[in-house]
Structure formats: structure tokens, C-alpha cells
Amino acid sequence: SSLGLFQVRLVMKAHSFIRENVPRVLSSVKDKSGTLHIPRISQYLYFLFAPTLIYRDNYPRNPTIRWGYVATKFAQVLGSLFYAYYIFVRLCIPQFRNSSQETFNLRGLVLCIFNSILPGVLILFLVFFAFLHCWLNAFAEMLRFADRMFYK
């Protein structure tokens, strides 16, 4: 599943890269100008790791990396993982532990589902916070990526 998400991310980034650069190349070929502006490999590699899906040749950059901020964000990711583990162990696993030994009935299934809604929502919020906020902000800081308007 994570490999699939990684592949979707790469396809989206490749689409953005091609969409931004093909018109420039075609217009310079049509004009028969001697200068052909092709992005450097370093610009493409930076784009692959930057937390954005819109390709630009240059992004706004911070002058320094705040390593304390990076450590804080990674600590929050780790804390979110431990909290998700705690939710699974305390709230999810006990709901389904006895269901394999009992005969199937609709009442038991509905109770398991309703008792799993709150832990599921909590885990959804944890995934949102850990990945989309902490993980991406940590990598943005390490890459000195200055445009942090993720939620707009």
C-alpha cells in the first residue's frame, strides 16, 4: 500500500514536470531560437523531494536549517506512531479478539463496527497530523523549502 502511494506521488510529480517544461521546449523549437531552456538534474531532484506537486525551476528557500525544529517534528511523528499503537492495542484489538471464536451474528458485527468508529477517526487524525503536518514540515525544513502554505 505504501509502495502504491509512493508510485502515485511519483506519477503526479512527473506529470507536473512534463506539463511545465514541454510548452517551453516546444515554443523554443517553434521560434527556432538558439537557446533551449532545459531544467538541470539538480532542479528535478530537488523537486522530487520537496513537499510540493507543482514544478518550478526555483523555489523560495530559507537561509538556514533549524535542526531543533526538524527533531521536534520527527519526535511528533514518533509520538503519533506510539499513540496509534496504543489505540490499536487498547481499543481495536479487544473488539475483534473474541469475534473469531463466536458464531457469526449481525448484532456482534454491528457492535464491533460502531465500537471501532472512534478509534478509526482518531487514527485518521493521527495519520493526517503525523504525515501531512510533521513529516512534510520536517522535510521542508531540511530542504530549506520556504513556501509552507500546505493547507491553502
Side-chain angles (χ1 to χ4, degrees):
S1 130
S2 64
L3 182 61
L5 292 174
F6 181 72
Q7 288 174 336
V8 168
R9 179 182 150 269
L10 284 180
V11 167
M12 291 170 70
K13 285 193 176 245
H15 174 75
S16 177
F17 180 78
I18 290 168
R19 185 178 172 127
E20 290 292 324
N21 288 301
V22 166
R24 283 194 283 179
V25 171
L26 291 177
S27 68
S28 66
V29 168
K30 189 190 318 183
D31 297 341
K32 294 184 171 69
S33 62
T35 60
L36 184 63
H37 182 71
I38 298 174
R40 295 186 313 271
I41 296 293
S42 62
Q43 290 172 322
Y44 181 68
L45 285 175
Y46 182 83
F47 169 64
L48 284 181
F49 291 100
T52 183
L53 292 175
I54 300 170
Y55 177 79
R56 298 288 180 256
D57 287 336
N58 296 308
Y59 294 97
R61 306 282 298 270
N62 289 330
T64 60
I65 299 172
R66 300 173 294 171
W67 290 107
Y69 181 80
V70 173
T72 301
K73 292 299 171 192
F74 281 134
Q76 289 174 348
V77 170
L78 193 62
S80 297
L81 289 174
F82 280 120
Y83 189 46
Y85 173 76
Y86 178 79
I87 289 171
F88 268 118
V89 169
R90 289 292 184 179
L91 300 175
C92 293
I93 293 174
Q95 291 297 322
F96 296 99
R97 181 171 288 149
N98 297 330
S99 64
S100 64
Q101 297 163 351
E102 297 174 0
T103 58
F104 177 77
N105 61 4
L106 188 59
R107 181 182 177 275
L109 177 67
V110 170
L111 283 175
C112 279
I113 290 173
F114 278 114
N115 287 334
S116 299
I117 288 175
L118 181 62
V121 170
L122 287 173
I123 289 172
L124 181 68
F125 284 143
L126 281 172
V127 167
F128 177 82
F129 175 73
F131 180 70
L132 294 179
H133 180 71
C134 299
W135 188 264
L136 291 179
N137 267 310
F139 273 92
E141 186 66 33
M142 288 188 294
L143 293 171
R144 298 184 308 139
F145 189 77
D147 185 13
R148 304 281 176 89
M149 305 300 273
F150 293 131
Y151 307 116
K152 289 192 175 185

